[in-house]
């Protein structure tokens, strides 16, 4: 009886804690900030391509345009600066709010200005503003994540804030996706983007009243202590670290400038005179991957080798002297040290891991920007039909896939689920290939399993049924693959560097797919969607092969499939 009473009291206390958390102003603002983070992502990297399709912008140009998504892939590069650089005249708003409010107001203004432009006749300005918007959105994501950690306390707990953030983000995905398509069908795209811009402007002004929190004295002391560890005996000489950081910075800078120049030449020139997208991807794509992944990895590996061998290391403590030393240590600890740790720990297996990370999600990442052109332009569905199939039914299927993925991780294990997810995510591209040539097989499958009959009871027709079935099956596969991939990434990062390493690796998943979109757009223009879906299937099967090789490596290492993340060795922790 006493135990039962204690359990009841514990359960009651948890409910009280939940209600108190939900009643906190911080929780309400977290919901708003989650919405503000999800809305521009949906509008700039998804719904915008439906507008470009209606404006009759060619698919190859859309492929080049989609390179603005690299802002999200490279946001880890400038994230350390956001912790230490203040917006002029706005610092009094708070350490995080100064960036959050600025980004939200800028995004709102950009969406309003986009509503005044014709994407076909003013594509240069359109792409420039969208690129700035993607940069502001990626920056906002970084700062909102930091704000959530800073303001969390015993009442507004980090778990509740994280959950509420996801709720806001998902609501924004529906507003920026389904609602935007419904509105565009009736009011037109300018009205949609003007309305969404006005919403973000309101959110930005509301953000002025959000609470903010400076990092605690304890957190600042921990950070200073961790930075000081870099200048203790046995750590690399600051001069060597400075050269390494500078070299990596130049490599990343060259890659970003190369992509930016290609975008400007492609979007501001006559279509007949613009650079060849396929040639750019085939010639410069590998160089960009080498500059952003391979060479920084090699530099990190060299640094770790030097440290372990005792070369170029400090023999006595060296104090920091001024702002340059502080910036150097912050940059090295945020960008190089996590990479050096993971490569030093995995050694040659790091090549396999990075190859798997680069290719695992490529099948859905590379063609995602062409989904709306495919549905609206090629298959000629209405915006209402696409909203129902892709956003409402599709989101439900994705959630089902995530739930199935979580169950499979427990039942059959991490690597089995990872490999299965890669396989089915690749094979679902064949379903779209069938749609591209009429969809007879998908229609027959829908009829055979009774899906057509079921959907017609809710007002859908046979044609919409096969689209819903195709999107649903793909999203279930993507959900399973996504759940497995998150679990895999979480298993290979070190506990002391989990946040930075996870951000770095998850960013790499976008890199190859984003770089490949211009060439894919050109291929669609020249050969059609069917050949593209066959190609993306084959690319996905390459990821399956890498999964199997990684599975064998883990099995031979004797590490349990559900083992927790490893501890870093010889490095200052986060």
């Amino acid at each position: 009886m006493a135990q039962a009473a204690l359990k009841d009291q514990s359960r009651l206390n948890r409910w009280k804690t939940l209600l108190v958390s939900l009643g906190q102003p911080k929780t309400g603002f977290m919901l708003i900030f989650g919405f503000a983070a999800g809305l521009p992502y949906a509008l700039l990297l998804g719904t915008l391509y439906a507008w470009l399709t209606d404006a009759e912008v060619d698919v190859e140009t859309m492929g080049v345009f989609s390179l603005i998504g690299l802002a999200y892939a490279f946001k880890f590069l400038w994230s350390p600066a956001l912790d230490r650089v203040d917006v002029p005249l706005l610092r009094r708003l708070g350490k995080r709010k100064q960036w959050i409010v600025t980004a939200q107001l800028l995004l709102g203004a950009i969406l309003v200005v986009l509503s005044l432009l014709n994407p076909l006749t003013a594509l240069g300005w359109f792409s420039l503003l969208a690129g700035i918007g993607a940069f502001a959105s990626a920056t906002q994501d970084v700062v909102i994540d930091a704000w959530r950690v800073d303001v969390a306390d015993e009442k507004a707990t980090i778990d509740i804030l994280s959950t509420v953030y996801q709720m806001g983000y998902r609501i924004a995905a529906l507003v920026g996706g389904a609602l935007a398509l419904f509105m565009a069908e009736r009011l037109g795209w300018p009205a949609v983007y003007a309305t969404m811009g006005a919403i973000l402007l309101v959110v930005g002004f509301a953000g002025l009243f959000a609470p903010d929190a400076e990092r605690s004295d304890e957190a600042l002391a921990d950070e200073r202590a961790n930075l000081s560890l870099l200048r203790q005996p046995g750590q690399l000489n600051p001069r060597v670290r400075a050269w390494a950081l500078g070299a990596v910075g130049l490599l990343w800078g060259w890659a970003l400038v190369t992509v930016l120049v290609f975008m400007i030449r492609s979007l501001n020139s006559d279509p007949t005179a613009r650079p060849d997208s396929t040639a750019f991807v085939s010639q410069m794509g590998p160089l960009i991957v080498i500059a952003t992944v391979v060479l920084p990895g090699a530099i990190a590996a060299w640094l770790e080798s030097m440290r372990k061998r005792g070369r170029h290391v400090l023999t006595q403590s060296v104090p920091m002297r001024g702002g340059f030393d502080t910036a150097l240590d912050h940059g090295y600890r945020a960008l190089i040290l996590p990479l050096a740790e993971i490569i030093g720990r995995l050694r040659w297996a790091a090549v396999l891991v990075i190859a798997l990370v680069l290719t695992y999600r490529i099948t859905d990442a590379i063609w995602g920007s062409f989904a709306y052109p495919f549905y609206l332009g090629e298959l000629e569905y209405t915006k209402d039909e696409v909203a129902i199939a892709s956003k409402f039914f599709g989101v439900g299927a994705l959630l089902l896939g995530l739930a199935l993925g979580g169950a499979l991780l427990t039942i059959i294990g991490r690597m089995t689920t990872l490999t299965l997810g890669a396989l089915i995510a690749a094979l679902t591209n064949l379903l779209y290939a069938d749609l591209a040539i009429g969809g007879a097989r998908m229609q027959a499958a829908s009829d055979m399993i009774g899906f057509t009959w079921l959907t017609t009871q809710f007002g859908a027709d046979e044609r919409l049924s096969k689209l819903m079935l195709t999107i649903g099956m793909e999203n279930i596969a993507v959900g399973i693959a996504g759940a497995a991939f998150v679990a895999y990434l979480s298993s290979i990062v070190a506990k002391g560097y989990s946040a930075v390493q996870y951000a770095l690796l998850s960013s790499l998943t976008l890199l190859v797919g984003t770089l490949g979109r211009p060439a894919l757009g050109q291929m669609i223009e020249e050969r059609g969607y069917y050949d593209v879906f066959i190609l993306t299937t084959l690319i996905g099967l390459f990821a399956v092969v890498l999964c199997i090789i990684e599975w064998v490596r883990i099995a031979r290492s004797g590490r349990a499939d559900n083992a927790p993340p490893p501890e870093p060795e010889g490095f200052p922790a986060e």
Side-chain angles (χ1 to χ4, degrees):
M1 290 289 291
Q3 275 190 334
L6 286 174
K7 286 183 178 179
D8 290 341
Q9 185 62 41
S10 176
R11 190 178 298 112
L12 180 62
N13 289 338
R14 286 196 294 269
W15 277 106
K16 287 181 178 178
T17 301
L18 174 61
L19 292 174
V20 169
S21 295
L22 294 177
Q24 295 297 305
K26 296 174 183 178
T27 309
F29 279 104
M30 188 76 266
L31 182 68
I32 294 173
F33 287 166
F35 180 86
L39 190 62
Y41 188 90
L43 292 171
L44 295 174
L45 294 189
T47 308
L48 195 60
Y49 299 96
W51 186 2
L52 297 178
T53 300
D54 281 353
E56 299 183 349
V57 175
D58 64 272
V59 179
E60 183 181 352
T61 299
M62 288 190 217
V64 176
F65 189 94
S66 69
L67 290 174
I68 65 172
L70 287 173
Y72 294 91
F74 283 103
K75 63 184 179 182
F76 67 90
L77 292 180
W78 61 86
S79 59
L82 299 176
D83 213 23
R84 293 157 189 91
V85 177
D86 294 325
V87 181
L89 306 179
L90 296 181
R91 177 62 181 86
R92 60 183 180 178
L93 292 178
K95 188 68 178 176
R96 309 302 182 191
K97 276 173 54 181
Q98 61 176 333
W99 286 105
I100 294 174
V101 171
T102 300
Q104 289 169 353
L105 294 178
L106 177 60
L107 282 163
I110 285 173
L111 293 178
V112 171
V113 174
L114 284 177
S115 73
L116 304 176
L117 299 177
N118 183 330
L120 187 61
T121 59
L123 189 60
W125 283 107
F126 205 83
S127 59
L128 176 62
L129 288 171
I132 296 172
F135 177 82
S137 176
T139 300
Q140 178 188 220
D141 290 351
V142 172
V143 185
I144 287 177
D145 286 341
W147 180 87
R148 182 171 63 250
V149 174
D150 288 349
V151 302
D153 54 28
E154 304 81 18
K155 294 181 179 180
T157 65
I158 188 66
D159 291 338
I160 293 296
L161 292 178
S162 298
T163 302
V164 169
Y165 171 83
Q166 288 297 323
M167 289 174 57
Y169 200 95
R170 299 306 173 192
I171 293 170
L174 289 175
V175 171
L179 180 61
L181 288 170
F182 284 135
M183 289 178 62
E185 187 77 21
R186 293 155 180 80
L187 303 174
W189 288 111
V192 170
Y193 275 76
T195 302
M196 299 299 172
I199 291 173
L200 275 179
L201 288 173
V202 171
V203 169
F205 283 113
L208 292 171
F209 302 97
D212 204 356
E214 301 293 334
R215 285 178 296 168
S216 65
D217 293 338
E218 182 180 351
L220 290 171
D222 287 344
E223 182 179 273
R224 285 192 291 267
N226 285 329
L227 285 178
S228 67
L229 290 176
L230 291 172
R231 294 176 173 267
Q232 298 301 314
Q235 295 296 326
L236 287 168
N237 189 297
R239 183 173 299 178
V240 174
R241 291 193 282 109
W243 279 106
L245 185 61
V248 171
L250 287 174
L251 289 167
W252 279 330
W254 172 84
L256 289 173
V257 169
T258 300
V259 171
L260 184 62
V261 169
F262 169 71
M263 285 185 66
I264 293 172
R265 291 180 60 200
S266 297
L267 296 174
N268 281 341
S269 59
D270 188 313
T272 60
R274 63 187 172 193
D276 185 281
S277 298
T278 302
F280 174 80
V281 172
S282 62
Q283 295 170 12
M284 302 305 298
L287 295 179
I288 291 172
V289 172
I290 289 171
T292 56
V293 180
V294 178
L295 289 180
I299 291 172
W302 175 78
L303 290 172
E304 173 60 359
S305 174
M306 293 298 102
R307 188 186 67 83
K308 286 185 174 180
R309 291 159 58 187
R311 298 184 59 186
H312 303 296
V313 297
L314 296 172
T315 57
Q316 59 183 8
S317 299
V318 176
M320 284 188 288
R321 297 184 180 89
F324 177 79
D325 283 355
T326 302
L328 166 65
D329 288 353
H330 276 301
Y332 181 80
R333 181 168 171 266
L335 301 177
I336 305 297
L337 206 55
L339 191 60
E341 190 283 329
I342 198 169
I343 290 176
R345 171 164 45 86
L346 295 175
R347 300 185 181 182
W348 287 108
V351 176
L352 173 60
V353 170
I354 291 174
L356 178 57
V357 169
L358 287 171
T359 58
Y360 189 80
R361 299 301 301 273
I362 194 172
T363 51
D364 52 286
I366 196 171
W367 95 274
S369 294
F370 305 108
Y372 283 131
F374 180 60
Y375 302 146
L376 298 170
E378 180 75 6
L379 302 182
E380 297 182 345
Y381 285 95
T382 67
K383 298 182 188 70
D384 285 357
E385 289 173 329
V386 172
I388 292 169
S390 178
K391 295 303 174 185
F392 288 110
F393 184 75
V395 168
L398 181 62
L399 294 176
L400 175 60
L402 289 169
L404 286 174
L408 289 172
L409 285 166
T410 302
I411 297 169
I412 63 177
R414 183 188 300 139
M415 293 309 300
T416 311
T417 307
L418 187 77
T419 307
L420 175 64
L423 179 62
I424 59 178
L427 293 180
T428 52
N429 283 266
L430 296 177
L431 308 183
Y432 286 101
D434 180 65
L435 286 186
I437 56 175
R441 294 180 180 85
M442 289 308 302
Q443 188 66 68
S446 181
D447 295 342
M448 182 177 66
I449 66 175
F451 188 77
T452 302
W453 175 86
L454 179 63
T455 54
T456 54
Q457 304 308 303
F458 295 91
D461 57 17
E462 293 183 351
R463 188 166 170 271
L464 180 57
S465 297
K466 66 182 179 184
L467 178 65
M468 292 174 67
L469 181 61
T470 303
I471 291 175
M473 293 180 70
E474 186 215 17
N475 282 8
I476 289 173
V478 167
I480 293 172
F485 192 56
V486 169
Y488 172 71
L489 289 184
S490 300
S491 73
I492 61 174
V493 299
K495 284 185 178 180
Y497 294 99
S498 56
V500 178
Q501 287 180 350
Y502 188 91
L504 176 62
L505 292 173
S506 59
S507 295
L508 292 181
T509 64
L510 303 173
L511 181 60
V512 175
T514 305
L515 286 174
R517 287 173 188 164
L520 202 69
Q522 183 176 343
M523 184 178 178
I524 291 171
E525 288 286 342
E526 295 175 353
R527 302 183 61 174
Y529 281 95
Y530 178 82
D531 287 348
V532 165
F533 288 124
I534 298 300
L535 174 63
T536 53
T537 301
L538 296 175
I539 293 173
L541 293 178
F542 179 69
V544 176
V545 174
L546 292 176
C547 284
I548 294 172
I549 297 172
E550 173 67 352
W551 192 353
V552 172
R553 181 191 73 84
I554 290 176
R556 287 184 174 178
S557 71
R559 188 179 173 197
D561 191 43
N562 60 348
E567 296 281 359
E569 297 179 1
F571 291 89
E574 280 182 338

